[in-house]
Coordinates of all heavy atoms in Angstrom, one line a residue:
P11 N 106.9 110.2 99.4 CA 107.6 110.2 100.7 C 108.6 111.3 100.8 O 109.2 111.7 99.8 CB 108.2 108.8 100.7 CG 107.5 108.0 99.7 CD 107.0 108.9 98.7
D12 N 108.9 111.7 102.0 CA 109.8 112.8 102.3 C 110.7 112.3 103.5 O 110.1 112.1 104.5 CB 109.1 114.1 102.6 CG 110.0 115.2 103.0 OD1 111.2 115.1 103.0 OD2 109.5 116.3 103.3
P13 N 112.0 112.2 103.3 CA 112.8 111.7 104.4 C 112.7 112.6 105.6 O 113.0 112.2 106.7 CB 114.2 111.6 103.8 CG 114.2 112.3 102.5 CD 112.8 112.4 102.1
K14 N 112.4 113.9 105.4 CA 112.2 114.8 106.5 C 110.8 114.9 107.1 O 110.5 115.7 107.9 CB 112.7 116.2 106.1 CG 114.2 116.3 105.8 CD 114.5 117.7 105.3 CE 116.0 117.7 104.9 NZ 116.4 119.0 104.4
G15 N 109.9 114.1 106.5 CA 108.5 114.1 106.9 C 108.3 113.7 108.3 O 109.1 113.0 108.9
L16 N 107.3 114.3 109.0 CA 107.0 114.0 110.4 C 106.1 112.9 110.7 O 105.9 112.5 111.8 CB 106.4 115.3 111.0 CG 107.3 116.6 110.9 CD1 106.5 117.7 111.5 CD2 108.6 116.4 111.7
F17 N 105.5 112.3 109.6 CA 104.5 111.3 109.8 C 104.9 109.9 109.2 O 105.5 109.9 108.1 CB 103.2 111.7 109.2 CG 102.6 112.9 109.8 CD1 102.9 114.1 109.4 CD2 101.7 112.7 110.9 CE1 102.3 115.3 110.0 CE2 101.1 113.8 111.5 CZ 101.5 115.1 111.1
K18 N 104.6 108.9 109.9 CA 104.7 107.5 109.3 C 103.3 107.0 109.1 O 102.3 107.5 109.7 CB 105.5 106.6 110.3 CG 104.8 106.4 111.6 CD 105.6 105.6 112.6 CE 104.8 105.5 113.9 NZ 105.5 104.6 114.8
I19 N 103.2 106.1 108.2 CA 101.8 105.6 107.8 C 101.6 104.2 108.3 O 102.5 103.3 108.3 CB 101.7 105.7 106.3 CG1 100.3 105.3 105.9 CG2 102.7 104.7 105.6 CD1 100.0 105.6 104.4
D20 N 100.4 103.9 108.8 CA 100.0 102.6 109.2 C 99.0 102.1 108.2 O 97.8 102.5 108.3 CB 99.4 102.6 110.7 CG 99.0 101.2 111.1 OD1 99.0 100.3 110.3 OD2 98.7 101.1 112.3
E21 N 99.5 101.3 107.3 CA 98.6 100.9 106.2 C 97.8 99.7 106.5 O 97.0 99.2 105.7 CB 99.4 100.7 104.9 CG 100.0 101.9 104.3 CD 100.8 101.7 103.1 OE1 101.9 101.1 103.2 OE2 100.3 102.2 102.0
T22 N 98.0 99.2 107.7 CA 97.2 98.0 108.2 C 95.7 98.5 108.4 O 94.9 97.6 108.6 CB 97.7 97.3 109.4 OG1 97.7 98.2 110.5 CG2 99.2 96.9 109.1
K23 N 95.5 99.8 108.6 CA 94.2 100.3 108.8 C 93.7 100.9 107.6 O 94.4 101.4 106.7 CB 94.3 101.3 110.0 CG 94.8 100.7 111.2 CD 95.0 101.8 112.3 CE 95.5 101.1 113.6 NZ 96.0 102.0 114.5
Q24 N 92.4 100.9 107.4 CA 91.7 101.5 106.2 C 90.7 102.5 106.7 O 89.8 102.1 107.5 CB 91.1 100.5 105.3 CG 92.1 99.7 104.5 CD 93.0 100.6 103.6 OE1 92.4 101.5 103.0 NE2 94.2 100.3 103.6
P25 N 90.7 103.8 106.3 CA 91.8 104.3 105.6 C 93.1 104.4 106.3 O 93.1 104.2 107.6 CB 91.2 105.8 105.3 CG 90.3 106.1 106.4 CD 89.7 104.8 106.8
P26 N 94.2 104.6 105.6 CA 95.5 104.6 106.3 C 95.5 105.6 107.4 O 94.9 106.7 107.3 CB 96.5 105.0 105.2 CG 95.8 104.8 103.9 CD 94.3 104.9 104.2
V27 N 96.2 105.3 108.5 CA 96.4 106.3 109.6 C 97.8 106.8 109.6 O 98.8 106.0 109.5 CB 96.1 105.6 110.9 CG1 96.4 106.5 112.1 CG2 94.6 105.2 111.0
F28 N 98.0 108.1 109.7 CA 99.3 108.8 109.8 C 99.5 109.2 111.2 O 98.8 109.9 111.8 CB 99.3 110.0 108.9 CG 99.2 109.7 107.4 CD1 98.0 109.4 106.8 CD2 100.4 109.6 106.7 CE1 98.0 109.1 105.4 CE2 100.4 109.3 105.3 CZ 99.2 109.0 104.7
E29 N 100.6 108.7 111.7 CA 101.0 109.0 113.1 C 102.3 109.7 113.1 O 103.2 109.5 112.2 CB 101.2 107.6 113.9 CG 99.9 106.8 113.9 CD 100.1 105.4 114.5 OE1 101.3 104.9 114.5 OE2 99.1 104.8 114.9
Y30 N 102.6 110.5 114.1 CA 103.9 111.2 114.2 C 105.0 110.1 114.4 O 104.8 109.2 115.1 CB 103.9 112.1 115.5 CG 103.3 113.4 115.2 CD1 102.1 113.8 115.8 CD2 104.0 114.4 114.4 CE1 101.5 115.0 115.5 CE2 103.4 115.6 114.2 CZ 102.2 115.9 114.7 OH 101.7 117.2 114.5
A31 N 106.0 110.3 113.6 CA 107.2 109.4 113.7 C 108.0 109.9 114.9 O 108.1 111.1 115.2 CB 108.0 109.5 112.5
R32 N 108.5 109.0 115.7 CA 109.2 109.3 116.9 C 110.7 108.9 116.8 O 110.9 107.9 116.1 CB 108.6 108.6 118.1 CG 107.2 109.1 118.4 CD 106.5 108.2 119.4 NE 105.1 108.4 119.4 CZ 104.4 109.1 120.3 NH1 105.1 109.6 121.3 NH2 103.1 109.3 120.2
P33 N 111.6 109.6 117.5 CA 112.9 109.1 117.5 C 113.0 107.7 117.9 O 112.3 107.3 118.9 CB 113.7 110.0 118.5 CG 112.8 111.2 118.6 CD 111.4 110.7 118.3
G34 N 113.8 106.9 117.3 CA 113.9 105.5 117.6 C 112.9 104.6 116.9 O 113.1 103.3 116.9
D35 N 112.0 105.1 116.1 CA 111.1 104.3 115.3 C 111.9 103.6 114.2 O 112.9 104.2 113.8 CB 110.0 105.2 114.6 CG 108.8 105.5 115.5 OD1 108.7 104.9 116.6 OD2 108.0 106.3 115.1
P36 N 111.6 102.4 113.8 CA 112.3 101.8 112.7 C 112.3 102.7 111.5 O 111.3 103.4 111.2 CB 111.6 100.5 112.5 CG 110.4 100.5 113.3 CD 110.4 101.7 114.2
P37 N 113.3 102.5 110.7 CA 113.3 103.3 109.4 C 112.2 102.9 108.5 O 111.7 101.8 108.6 CB 114.7 103.0 108.8 CG 115.3 101.9 109.5 CD 114.5 101.7 110.8
G38 N 111.8 103.9 107.8 CA 110.6 103.6 106.8 C 110.3 104.9 106.2 O 110.9 106.0 106.4
E39 N 109.3 104.8 105.3 CA 108.9 106.0 104.6 C 108.2 107.0 105.5 O 107.5 106.6 106.4 CB 107.9 105.7 103.5 CG 108.5 104.9 102.3 CD 107.5 104.6 101.2 OE1 106.3 104.5 101.5 OE2 108.0 104.6 100.1
R40 N 108.5 108.3 105.3 CA 107.9 109.4 106.1 C 107.1 110.3 105.1 O 107.5 110.4 104.0 CB 109.0 110.2 106.8 CG 109.8 109.4 107.8 CD 109.0 108.9 109.0 NE 109.8 108.3 110.0 CZ 109.8 107.0 110.3 NH1 109.0 106.2 109.6 NH2 110.5 106.5 111.2

C-alpha cells in the first residue's frame, strides 16, 4: 500500500476491483 496511491481496492469482488479514491472516502489502504 502507498498512502499517496490513487486507487482503493474493493476486495468483495473477485478478482479485486481497484477504483479511484475520491476526496471524502473513508480512510483505508491506497
Side-chain angles (χ1 to χ4, degrees):
D12 176 1
K14 295 178 183 176
L16 299 177
F17 295 89
K18 60 183 180 177
I19 187 171
D20 181 350
E21 292 181 293
T22 64
K23 299 176 181 167
Q24 286 300 320
V27 173
F28 290 82
E29 301 171 336
Y30 277 107
R32 298 170 192 254
D35 278 350
E39 291 184 329
R40 301 290 187 250

